[in-house]
Amino acid sequence: MKSVYLAFRAAVLHFLDDPDNDLESPHLEYFPDGILLTHQGYIVELGAAEQMLASLPADCELIHYPDHLLIPGLIDTHIHYPQTDMIAAYGEQLLQWLETYTFPTERQFADKAHAREVAEFFLDELLRNGTTTALVFGTVHPASVEAFFEAAEARNLRMIAGKVLMDRHCPAYLQDTPETAYTDSKTLIEKWHGRGRLSYAVTPRFAPTSSREQLAKAGELLTEYPDVYLHTHVAENHAEVAWVADLFPESRSYLDVYQQYGLLRPRAVLAHCIHLDAEDRACMATTGTAAVFCPSSNLFIGSGLFDLHLTKEADVRVGLGTDVGGGNYFSLLRGINDAYKITQLLGKKLSAFQALYLATLGGAKALYLDDKIGNFAVGKEADFVVLNLKATPLLTRRLQHCQSLHDQLFAILMLGDDRLVTASYVMGKAAFKV
Ligand SMILES: [Zn+2]
Protein backbone atom coordinates (compact mmCIF):
# COMPACT_ATOMS: atom_id res chain seq x y z
CA MET A 1 0.00 0.00 0.00
CA LYS A 2 1.20 3.52 -0.85
CA SER A 3 2.18 5.72 2.07
CA VAL A 4 -0.17 8.52 3.00
CA TYR A 5 2.79 10.63 4.14
CA LEU A 6 4.70 12.47 1.43
CA ALA A 7 7.86 14.45 2.17
CA PHE A 8 9.30 16.93 -0.33
CA ARG A 9 12.95 17.88 0.01
CA ALA A 10 14.23 21.09 -1.64
CA ALA A 11 15.04 24.67 -0.71
CA VAL A 12 11.81 25.99 0.81
CA LEU A 13 10.59 29.58 1.18
CA HIS A 14 7.31 30.97 2.49
CA PHE A 15 5.90 33.97 4.38
CA LEU A 16 4.38 34.11 7.83
CA ASP A 17 3.13 37.68 7.38
CA ASP A 18 3.64 40.74 5.17
CA PRO A 19 7.39 41.45 4.85
CA ASP A 20 6.77 44.89 3.23
CA ASN A 21 10.01 46.10 1.68
CA ASP A 22 12.15 45.04 4.65
CA LEU A 23 15.09 43.02 3.33
CA GLU A 24 15.68 41.66 6.86
CA SER A 25 12.04 40.86 7.51
CA PRO A 26 11.29 38.35 10.26
CA HIS A 27 8.07 37.41 8.46
CA LEU A 28 9.61 34.77 6.22
CA GLU A 29 11.03 31.33 6.69
CA TYR A 30 13.73 29.92 4.44
CA PHE A 31 15.36 26.50 4.53
CA PRO A 32 18.23 26.09 2.03
CA ASP A 33 17.73 22.32 2.43
CA GLY A 34 14.25 21.83 3.79
CA ILE A 35 11.53 19.23 4.02
CA LEU A 36 7.82 19.84 3.62
CA LEU A 37 5.88 16.92 5.10
CA THR A 38 2.29 16.34 3.98
CA HIS A 39 -0.42 13.91 5.03
CA GLN A 40 -3.45 13.27 2.83
CA GLY A 41 -3.09 16.64 1.14
CA TYR A 42 -2.43 18.78 4.22
CA ILE A 43 0.75 20.29 5.64
CA VAL A 44 2.05 18.43 8.68
CA GLU A 45 5.49 19.92 9.20
CA LEU A 46 8.16 22.12 7.64
CA GLY A 47 11.77 22.21 8.75
CA ALA A 48 15.44 21.72 7.95
CA ALA A 49 16.19 18.38 6.28
CA GLU A 50 19.03 17.80 8.73
CA GLN A 51 16.57 17.73 11.64
CA MET A 52 13.57 16.15 9.98
CA LEU A 53 15.19 13.24 8.10
CA ALA A 54 15.71 11.20 11.24
CA SER A 55 12.15 11.58 12.45
CA LEU A 56 10.05 11.12 9.29
CA PRO A 57 7.23 8.55 9.62
CA ALA A 58 8.47 5.06 8.77
CA ASP A 59 6.22 4.63 5.74
CA CYS A 60 6.88 8.13 4.40
CA GLU A 61 7.68 8.55 0.72
CA LEU A 62 10.49 11.08 0.17
CA ILE A 63 10.63 13.09 -3.06
CA HIS A 64 13.89 14.97 -3.53
CA TYR A 65 14.25 18.04 -5.76
CA PRO A 66 17.91 19.10 -5.65
CA ASP A 67 18.57 22.58 -7.15
CA HIS A 68 14.91 23.47 -6.80
CA LEU A 69 12.97 25.98 -4.71
CA LEU A 70 9.62 25.04 -3.25
CA ILE A 71 7.13 27.89 -2.70
CA PRO A 72 3.40 28.02 -1.94
CA GLY A 73 1.10 27.72 -4.97
CA LEU A 74 0.70 31.06 -6.74
CA ILE A 75 -2.65 32.85 -6.42
CA ASP A 76 -4.03 34.83 -9.36
CA THR A 77 -6.67 37.14 -7.91
CA HIS A 78 -8.07 38.36 -11.26
CA ILE A 79 -8.28 36.48 -14.55
CA HIS A 80 -10.80 35.77 -17.35
CA TYR A 81 -10.80 32.18 -18.56
CA PRO A 82 -13.02 32.88 -21.62
CA GLN A 83 -10.39 35.32 -22.92
CA THR A 84 -7.77 32.60 -23.35
CA ASP A 85 -8.26 32.49 -27.12
CA MET A 86 -7.99 36.26 -27.59
CA ILE A 87 -4.90 36.86 -25.45
CA ALA A 88 -2.34 39.11 -27.15
CA ALA A 89 -4.87 41.06 -29.25
CA TYR A 90 -3.43 44.08 -31.03
CA GLY A 91 -3.82 47.79 -30.77
CA GLU A 92 -6.77 48.82 -28.58
CA GLN A 93 -7.39 50.29 -25.14
CA LEU A 94 -10.07 49.06 -22.76
CA LEU A 95 -13.44 50.14 -24.21
CA GLN A 96 -12.58 49.51 -27.86
CA TRP A 97 -10.70 46.34 -26.91
CA LEU A 98 -13.89 44.99 -25.30
CA GLU A 99 -15.97 45.75 -28.42
CA THR A 100 -13.45 44.50 -30.94
CA TYR A 101 -12.06 41.39 -29.31
CA THR A 102 -13.69 40.44 -26.04
CA PHE A 103 -17.41 40.40 -26.74
CA PRO A 104 -17.22 38.28 -29.94
CA THR A 105 -14.94 35.80 -28.15
CA GLU A 106 -17.23 35.55 -25.11
CA ARG A 107 -20.24 34.91 -27.34
CA GLN A 108 -18.96 31.38 -28.03
CA PHE A 109 -19.42 30.40 -24.36
CA ALA A 110 -23.14 29.88 -24.82
CA ASP A 111 -21.92 26.49 -26.07
CA LYS A 112 -21.00 24.42 -23.02
CA ALA A 113 -18.80 22.00 -24.97
CA HIS A 114 -16.71 24.94 -26.18
CA ALA A 115 -16.57 26.35 -22.65
CA ARG A 116 -15.39 23.03 -21.23
CA GLU A 117 -12.64 22.68 -23.83
CA VAL A 118 -11.33 26.18 -23.09
CA ALA A 119 -11.63 25.61 -19.30
CA GLU A 120 -9.44 22.49 -19.53
CA PHE A 121 -6.79 24.31 -21.54
CA PHE A 122 -6.96 27.29 -19.17
CA LEU A 123 -6.44 25.11 -16.07
CA ASP A 124 -3.55 23.28 -17.76
CA GLU A 125 -1.98 26.63 -18.48
CA LEU A 126 -2.46 27.94 -14.92
CA LEU A 127 -0.80 24.85 -13.47
CA ARG A 128 2.02 24.96 -16.03
CA ASN A 129 2.71 28.46 -14.68
CA GLY A 130 2.57 27.50 -11.01
CA THR A 131 -0.86 29.04 -10.32
CA THR A 132 -2.97 26.77 -8.12
CA THR A 133 -5.80 29.15 -7.11
CA ALA A 134 -7.53 31.89 -9.10
CA LEU A 135 -10.49 34.26 -8.95
CA VAL A 136 -11.98 33.81 -12.39
CA PHE A 137 -14.47 35.63 -14.62
CA GLY A 138 -16.84 33.48 -16.67
CA THR A 139 -19.10 34.96 -19.34
CA VAL A 140 -22.74 36.01 -19.08
CA HIS A 141 -23.74 32.40 -19.85
CA PRO A 142 -24.37 30.15 -16.82
CA ALA A 143 -22.98 27.27 -18.93
CA SER A 144 -19.57 28.94 -18.91
CA VAL A 145 -19.46 28.70 -15.12
CA GLU A 146 -20.86 25.16 -15.02
CA ALA A 147 -18.12 24.07 -17.43
CA PHE A 148 -15.41 25.83 -15.45
CA PHE A 149 -16.46 24.45 -12.06
CA GLU A 150 -16.79 20.90 -13.46
CA ALA A 151 -13.24 21.09 -14.84
CA ALA A 152 -11.83 22.59 -11.61
CA GLU A 153 -13.65 20.07 -9.40
CA ALA A 154 -12.27 17.13 -11.40
CA ARG A 155 -8.77 18.42 -10.57
CA ASN A 156 -9.59 19.23 -6.94
CA LEU A 157 -8.48 22.84 -7.41
CA ARG A 158 -9.33 25.69 -5.05
CA MET A 159 -11.04 28.08 -7.46
CA ILE A 160 -13.52 30.95 -7.31
CA ALA A 161 -15.64 31.91 -10.31
CA GLY A 162 -18.91 33.51 -11.34
CA LYS A 163 -21.27 34.32 -14.16
CA VAL A 164 -20.93 37.83 -15.59
CA LEU A 165 -23.82 40.22 -14.93
CA MET A 166 -24.28 42.55 -17.91
CA ASP A 167 -27.62 44.02 -18.96
CA ARG A 168 -26.68 47.09 -21.03
CA HIS A 169 -24.02 48.70 -23.24
CA CYS A 170 -23.02 45.42 -24.81
CA PRO A 171 -24.18 43.35 -27.82
CA ALA A 172 -27.67 41.88 -27.43
CA TYR A 173 -26.19 38.36 -27.65
CA LEU A 174 -24.36 38.94 -24.34
CA GLN A 175 -27.12 40.64 -22.37
CA ASP A 176 -28.91 39.27 -19.36
CA THR A 177 -31.52 41.18 -17.30
CA PRO A 178 -31.64 42.14 -13.62
CA GLU A 179 -34.00 39.23 -13.05
CA THR A 180 -32.07 36.51 -14.97
CA ALA A 181 -28.81 37.77 -13.49
CA TYR A 182 -30.32 37.19 -10.07
CA THR A 183 -31.94 33.80 -10.72
CA ASP A 184 -29.05 32.35 -12.75
CA SER A 185 -26.51 33.45 -10.14
CA LYS A 186 -28.65 32.06 -7.34
CA THR A 187 -28.91 28.67 -9.05
CA LEU A 188 -25.14 28.57 -9.52
CA ILE A 189 -24.49 29.63 -5.91
CA GLU A 190 -26.81 26.92 -4.58
CA LYS A 191 -25.08 24.29 -6.70
CA TRP A 192 -21.41 25.27 -6.47
CA HIS A 193 -20.60 27.62 -3.59
CA GLY A 194 -18.76 25.72 -0.87
CA ARG A 195 -18.79 22.48 -2.86
CA GLY A 196 -15.36 20.88 -2.29
CA ARG A 197 -12.78 23.58 -2.87
CA LEU A 198 -14.99 25.81 -5.01
CA SER A 199 -16.53 29.18 -4.18
CA TYR A 200 -18.85 31.49 -6.05
CA ALA A 201 -18.34 35.15 -6.96
CA VAL A 202 -21.20 37.48 -7.93
CA THR A 203 -19.59 39.06 -10.99
CA PRO A 204 -20.90 42.31 -12.54
CA ARG A 205 -18.51 43.02 -15.45
CA PHE A 206 -18.17 46.70 -14.43
CA ALA A 207 -20.50 49.57 -13.58
CA PRO A 208 -21.08 50.72 -17.20
CA THR A 209 -22.60 47.40 -18.28
CA SER A 210 -24.99 46.99 -15.34
CA SER A 211 -28.17 49.01 -14.81
CA ARG A 212 -28.99 50.33 -11.36
CA GLU A 213 -31.61 47.58 -11.07
CA GLN A 214 -28.99 44.95 -11.80
CA LEU A 215 -26.47 46.36 -9.31
CA ALA A 216 -29.25 46.31 -6.71
CA LYS A 217 -29.87 42.62 -7.52
CA ALA A 218 -26.16 41.91 -7.05
CA GLY A 219 -26.42 43.54 -3.62
CA GLU A 220 -29.44 41.38 -2.81
CA LEU A 221 -27.49 38.21 -3.63
CA LEU A 222 -24.68 39.30 -1.31
CA THR A 223 -27.16 39.91 1.48
CA GLU A 224 -28.73 36.49 1.00
CA TYR A 225 -25.36 34.73 0.74
CA PRO A 226 -22.96 36.71 2.94
CA ASP A 227 -19.97 34.44 2.33
CA VAL A 228 -19.97 34.53 -1.48
CA TYR A 229 -17.49 36.79 -3.27
CA LEU A 230 -18.06 39.96 -5.27
CA HIS A 231 -15.71 40.25 -8.25
CA THR A 232 -15.61 43.21 -10.63
CA HIS A 233 -13.46 45.94 -12.17
CA VAL A 234 -13.01 49.55 -11.06
CA ALA A 235 -11.13 52.65 -12.27
CA GLU A 236 -8.97 50.97 -14.88
CA ASN A 237 -8.90 53.51 -17.71
CA HIS A 238 -9.56 57.27 -18.01
CA ALA A 239 -12.30 56.96 -20.66
CA GLU A 240 -14.05 54.32 -18.55
CA VAL A 241 -13.90 56.53 -15.42
CA ALA A 242 -15.38 59.47 -17.36
CA TRP A 243 -18.15 57.22 -18.72
CA VAL A 244 -19.08 56.05 -15.22
CA ALA A 245 -19.23 59.69 -14.06
CA ASP A 246 -21.75 60.36 -16.87
CA LEU A 247 -23.80 57.26 -16.16
CA PHE A 248 -23.93 57.66 -12.37
CA PRO A 249 -23.87 61.42 -11.67
CA GLU A 250 -25.33 60.76 -8.21
CA SER A 251 -22.15 58.91 -7.12
CA ARG A 252 -19.15 60.69 -5.66
CA SER A 253 -16.75 58.43 -7.57
CA TYR A 254 -16.62 55.23 -9.62
CA LEU A 255 -15.95 53.22 -6.46
CA ASP A 256 -18.86 54.94 -4.76
CA VAL A 257 -21.25 53.39 -7.32
CA TYR A 258 -20.43 49.99 -5.86
CA GLN A 259 -20.64 51.29 -2.31
CA GLN A 260 -24.15 52.65 -2.97
CA TYR A 261 -25.36 49.19 -3.95
CA GLY A 262 -23.80 47.47 -0.93
CA LEU A 263 -21.15 45.65 -2.95
CA LEU A 264 -18.10 46.68 -0.90
CA ARG A 265 -17.40 44.26 1.93
CA PRO A 266 -15.10 41.44 2.98
CA ARG A 267 -14.63 39.09 -0.04
CA ALA A 268 -15.30 41.90 -2.51
CA VAL A 269 -12.36 41.93 -4.90
CA LEU A 270 -11.86 44.80 -7.35
CA ALA A 271 -9.48 44.55 -10.26
CA HIS A 272 -7.27 47.52 -11.20
CA CYS A 273 -8.06 50.37 -8.75
CA ILE A 274 -5.69 52.57 -10.74
CA HIS A 275 -7.55 55.90 -10.83
CA LEU A 276 -8.82 56.14 -7.24
CA ASP A 277 -8.44 58.90 -4.67
CA ALA A 278 -7.63 58.81 -0.98
CA GLU A 279 -11.30 58.69 0.01
CA ASP A 280 -11.85 55.67 -2.25
CA ARG A 281 -8.89 53.84 -0.73
CA ALA A 282 -10.08 54.61 2.79
CA CYS A 283 -13.50 53.22 1.86
CA MET A 284 -11.95 50.01 0.53
CA ALA A 285 -9.95 49.60 3.73
CA THR A 286 -12.88 50.15 6.09
CA THR A 287 -15.19 47.83 4.12
CA GLY A 288 -12.57 45.06 3.86
CA THR A 289 -12.61 45.25 0.05
CA ALA A 290 -9.47 43.99 -1.73
CA ALA A 291 -7.64 45.55 -4.70
CA VAL A 292 -5.94 43.56 -7.45
CA PHE A 293 -2.71 44.78 -9.01
CA CYS A 294 -2.67 43.60 -12.65
CA PRO A 295 0.73 44.72 -13.94
CA SER A 296 0.60 43.08 -17.36
CA SER A 297 -2.77 44.53 -18.30
CA ASN A 298 -1.89 47.95 -16.81
CA LEU A 299 0.83 47.99 -19.44
CA PHE A 300 -0.59 45.87 -22.27
CA ILE A 301 -3.87 47.73 -22.75
CA GLY A 302 -2.25 50.97 -21.64
CA SER A 303 -4.55 51.69 -18.70
CA GLY A 304 -2.10 53.26 -16.26
CA LEU A 305 0.13 52.43 -13.30
CA PHE A 306 -1.36 50.95 -10.13
CA ASP A 307 0.14 52.58 -7.04
CA LEU A 308 0.88 49.65 -4.75
CA HIS A 309 2.40 51.82 -2.06
CA LEU A 310 -0.49 54.27 -1.74
CA THR A 311 -2.92 51.34 -1.67
CA LYS A 312 -1.01 49.45 1.01
CA GLU A 313 -0.42 52.57 3.08
CA ALA A 314 -4.21 52.96 3.15
CA ASP A 315 -4.41 49.43 4.65
CA VAL A 316 -6.21 47.92 1.65
CA ARG A 317 -5.70 44.20 1.03
CA VAL A 318 -3.84 43.68 -2.25
CA GLY A 319 -3.51 40.63 -4.48
CA LEU A 320 -1.73 40.14 -7.80
CA GLY A 321 -3.54 39.24 -11.02
CA THR A 322 -2.62 38.52 -14.61
CA ASP A 323 -5.99 39.72 -16.01
CA VAL A 324 -5.66 37.43 -19.04
CA GLY A 325 -6.58 38.45 -21.80
CA GLY A 326 -6.07 42.18 -20.92
CA GLY A 327 -2.76 40.85 -19.64
CA ASN A 328 -0.66 39.06 -22.21
CA TYR A 329 0.64 36.11 -20.17
CA PHE A 330 -0.44 33.56 -17.52
CA SER A 331 2.78 33.66 -15.50
CA LEU A 332 2.63 35.41 -12.13
CA LEU A 333 6.43 35.33 -12.12
CA ARG A 334 6.29 37.57 -15.18
CA GLY A 335 3.59 39.56 -13.39
CA ILE A 336 6.03 40.20 -10.54
CA ASN A 337 8.60 41.27 -13.08
CA ASP A 338 6.24 43.91 -14.52
CA ALA A 339 5.03 44.89 -11.03
CA TYR A 340 8.61 45.76 -10.16
CA LYS A 341 8.95 47.93 -13.27
CA ILE A 342 5.69 49.75 -12.55
CA THR A 343 6.83 50.63 -9.03
CA GLN A 344 10.13 51.82 -10.52
CA LEU A 345 8.23 54.12 -12.89
CA LEU A 346 6.40 55.53 -9.86
CA GLY A 347 9.76 56.16 -8.17
CA LYS A 348 9.20 53.49 -5.52
CA LYS A 349 10.57 50.05 -4.64
CA LEU A 350 9.19 46.54 -4.62
CA SER A 351 11.33 43.99 -2.79
CA ALA A 352 11.46 40.40 -3.96
CA PHE A 353 9.98 39.36 -0.61
CA GLN A 354 7.04 41.76 -0.91
CA ALA A 355 6.45 40.69 -4.53
CA LEU A 356 6.37 36.97 -3.80
CA TYR A 357 4.25 37.61 -0.71
CA LEU A 358 1.65 39.35 -2.90
CA ALA A 359 1.49 36.29 -5.17
CA THR A 360 1.11 33.86 -2.23
CA LEU A 361 0.00 34.78 1.30
CA GLY A 362 -1.00 38.34 0.27
CA GLY A 363 -3.28 36.92 -2.43
CA ALA A 364 -4.73 34.46 0.07
CA LYS A 365 -5.50 37.36 2.45
CA ALA A 366 -7.08 39.39 -0.38
CA LEU A 367 -9.38 36.39 -0.95
CA TYR A 368 -9.92 35.71 2.77
CA LEU A 369 -8.47 32.24 2.22
CA ASP A 370 -5.38 32.62 4.39
CA ASP A 371 -6.71 30.03 6.83
CA LYS A 372 -6.46 27.47 4.01
CA ILE A 373 -3.72 28.42 1.54
CA GLY A 374 -0.92 30.94 0.99
CA ASN A 375 1.89 29.48 3.10
CA PHE A 376 3.10 26.26 4.72
CA ALA A 377 1.52 26.66 8.15
CA VAL A 378 0.59 23.31 9.70
CA GLY A 379 -2.91 22.21 8.74
CA LYS A 380 -3.12 24.19 5.51
CA GLU A 381 -3.83 22.63 2.13
CA ALA A 382 -0.66 21.40 0.43
CA ASP A 383 -0.74 23.44 -2.79
CA PHE A 384 2.78 24.30 -3.85
CA VAL A 385 5.13 24.87 -6.76
CA VAL A 386 8.60 23.48 -7.44
CA LEU A 387 10.88 25.92 -9.27
CA ASN A 388 13.97 24.78 -11.14
CA LEU A 389 16.88 27.05 -10.22
CA LYS A 390 18.84 25.77 -13.20
CA ALA A 391 16.03 26.24 -15.72
CA THR A 392 18.02 28.48 -18.02
CA PRO A 393 21.74 29.09 -18.59
CA LEU A 394 21.36 32.74 -17.60
CA LEU A 395 19.55 31.95 -14.33
CA THR A 396 22.13 29.29 -13.47
CA ARG A 397 24.92 31.77 -14.09
CA ARG A 398 23.30 34.70 -12.29
CA LEU A 399 22.59 32.61 -9.18
CA GLN A 400 26.30 31.92 -8.80
CA HIS A 401 26.77 35.61 -8.08
CA CYS A 402 24.30 36.17 -5.25
CA GLN A 403 25.23 37.82 -1.98
CA SER A 404 22.04 37.22 -0.01
CA LEU A 405 18.70 35.42 -0.01
CA HIS A 406 17.01 38.58 -1.25
CA ASP A 407 19.50 38.94 -4.09
CA GLN A 408 18.90 35.31 -5.04
CA LEU A 409 15.10 35.55 -4.93
CA PHE A 410 15.11 38.84 -6.83
CA ALA A 411 17.16 37.27 -9.63
CA ILE A 412 14.79 34.28 -9.74
CA LEU A 413 11.76 36.56 -10.00
CA MET A 414 13.25 38.92 -12.58
CA LEU A 415 14.55 36.10 -14.80
CA GLY A 416 11.68 33.71 -14.09
CA ASP A 417 8.68 32.53 -16.08
CA ASP A 418 6.96 29.22 -16.88
CA ARG A 419 10.31 27.64 -17.78
CA LEU A 420 11.12 27.47 -14.06
CA VAL A 421 8.03 25.48 -13.08
CA THR A 422 9.06 21.83 -12.70
CA ALA A 423 5.87 20.77 -10.93
CA SER A 424 2.68 22.16 -9.41
CA TYR A 425 1.15 20.18 -6.51
CA VAL A 426 -2.50 20.35 -5.55
CA MET A 427 -3.47 18.90 -2.16
CA GLY A 428 -0.11 17.11 -2.10
CA LYS A 429 -0.51 15.52 -5.53
CA ALA A 430 1.32 16.48 -8.73
CA ALA A 431 -1.21 18.25 -10.95
CA PHE A 432 1.49 19.32 -13.40
CA LYS A 433 4.95 17.91 -13.94
CA VAL A 434 7.54 18.65 -16.62
ZN1 LIG B 1 -10.30 41.92 -16.03
Side-chain angles (χ1 to χ4, degrees), residues 78 80 233 272 323:
H78 178 66
H80 301 250
H233 300 92
H272 304 304
D323 193 24

Side-chain angles (χ1 to χ4, degrees), residues 78-80 83 94 97 137 205 231-233 236 271-272 294 297 323-326:
H78 178 66
I79 188 165
H80 301 250
Q83 295 177 14
L94 178 65
W97 175 86
F137 257 69
R205 167 159 242 121
H231 185 197
T232 191
H233 300 92
E236 177 172 7
H272 304 304
C294 302
S297 85
D323 193 24
V324 164

Side-chain angles (χ1 to χ4, degrees), residues 113-162:
H114 173 77
R116 183 64 191 255
E117 193 274 329
V118 176
E120 296 291 357
F121 180 90
F122 172 87
L123 293 175
D124 283 345
E125 195 63 20
L126 285 186
L127 293 166
R128 221 175 58 69
N129 281 281
T131 300
T132 51
T133 286
L135 175 56
V136 181
F137 257 69
T139 65
V140 75
H141 316 97
S144 73
V145 178
E146 291 277 353
F148 179 79
F149 277 143
E150 284 167 16
E153 183 177 55
R155 299 172 192 234
N156 200 21
L157 292 167
R158 184 163 282 291
M159 288 284 159
I160 310 164

Side-chain angles (χ1 to χ4, degrees), residues 10 21 66 85 103 260 281 300 337 353 360 364-365 397 433:
N21 276 325
D85 288 346
F103 293 153
Q260 286 182 351
R281 290 189 191 94
F300 187 77
N337 189 313
F353 296 149
T360 57
K365 286 191 179 185
R397 187 179 178 94
K433 243 183 184 172

Side-chain angles (χ1 to χ4, degrees), residues 63-83:
I63 298 155
H64 193 188
Y65 285 110
D67 298 317
H68 284 72
L69 174 68
L70 209 150
I71 58 172
L74 302 175
I75 298 172
D76 191 331
T77 53
H78 178 66
I79 188 165
H80 301 250
Y81 100 85
Q83 295 177 14

